[in-house]
Amino acid sequence: MSQLKIAVIVGSLSKQSINRKLGEGLARLMQDQADFEFIDISRLPVYNRDFDNTPDFKPFEDLKPQIRSCNGVLFITPEYNRSIPASLKNVLDGLSRPHGQTVWAGIPAAIIGSSPGAAASAMAQQHLRNVLVSLDMPTMAQPEGFVRWSDTLLDADGNIGAASHDFLTKYMSKFLAWVQLHPKK
């Protein structure tokens, strides 16, 4: 099998996002085992079903080939008010439309996220799991990726730090194995 291609979707739109930094560190960690493509969701309009089959839907249509070309999707989400960010829900909704033309069905996924709080992004991840079930995305259940952010999570070069290296290597290895076990439909 050729090298896996993984789409990475970060729920935070902030350029300083700790979840984006985590994603970049994870991609570096596994760069010899997969190609990681970060999907830019920052310019998407708020999805409205009136967009379906109109020129307003073009930003969503433009992203569909990027997702289709990937073997799996890694979702990295912060927690906003105990749920997922609106930007993440927006891309999920938009790329599942028009009805019957979803891009998500059958693509294996994993969820991870970080926060300075002790629960990391546990509530957001659970909400995201519910959405992914509806989208027919086989989602890795274990290990869960609740990553408490600290200044030592990444080193000065943006690589995963020593304290989290083993856990995150195991997490990503399991995810890549999950993708291989669940080739997209």
Side-chain angles (χ1 to χ4, degrees):
M1 175 181 232
S2 61
Q3 185 142 309
L4 294 174
K5 184 174 177 187
I6 304 298
V8 180
I9 299 179
V10 180
S12 173
L13 302 182
S14 170
K15 292 183 186 347
Q16 296 83 31
S17 165
I18 60 175
N19 283 281
R20 178 163 303 283
K21 291 176 185 177
L22 172 61
E24 291 165 353
L26 293 172
R28 273 191 214 94
L29 184 66
M30 305 305 281
Q31 65 188 352
D32 62 330
Q33 296 180 43
D35 294 321
F36 294 87
E37 181 175 357
F38 283 76
I39 306 298
D40 182 8
I41 63 172
S42 66
R43 300 202 188 311
L44 292 174
V46 175
Y47 174 73
N48 177 336
R49 76 180 254 177
D50 293 343
F51 291 173
D52 292 359
N53 302 310
T54 72
D56 291 327
F57 194 72
K58 186 170 177 13
F60 294 102
E61 282 296 335
D62 289 347
L63 278 183
K64 285 185 174 187
Q66 287 180 272
I67 301 299
R68 284 188 185 110
S69 72
C70 293
N71 302 99
V73 180
L74 178 63
F75 292 98
I76 306 174
T77 186
E79 186 167 302
Y80 293 175
N81 299 312
R82 297 196 178 167
S83 191
I84 60 175
S87 57
L88 183 52
K89 184 67 165 78
N90 188 53
V91 71
L92 291 166
D93 290 345
L95 295 185
S96 71
R97 302 295 295 174
H99 181 73
Q101 297 178 34
T102 182
V103 74
W104 304 114
I107 299 177
I111 305 168
I112 194 166
S114 186
S115 168
S121 59
M123 294 285 288
Q125 289 188 41
Q126 187 56 50
H127 285 186
L128 182 53
R129 279 183 195 290
N130 292 341
V131 174
L132 298 183
V133 165
S134 174
L135 295 174
D136 191 24
M137 296 185 79
T139 305
M140 184 175 79
Q142 293 292 327
E144 293 177 298
F146 309 131
V147 181
R148 187 171 184 180
W149 182 263
S150 74
D151 292 337
T152 61
L153 183 61
L154 303 174
D155 67 18
D157 296 321
N159 298 306
I160 301 297
S164 298
H165 188 273
D166 290 349
F167 169 74
L168 291 175
T169 298
K170 177 182 174 187
Y171 179 90
M172 290 300 292
S173 294
K174 292 257 186 175
F175 171 52
L176 295 180
W178 178 260
V179 170
Q180 290 177 326
L181 283 171
H182 298 85
K184 67 183 183 179
K185 298 176 187 175

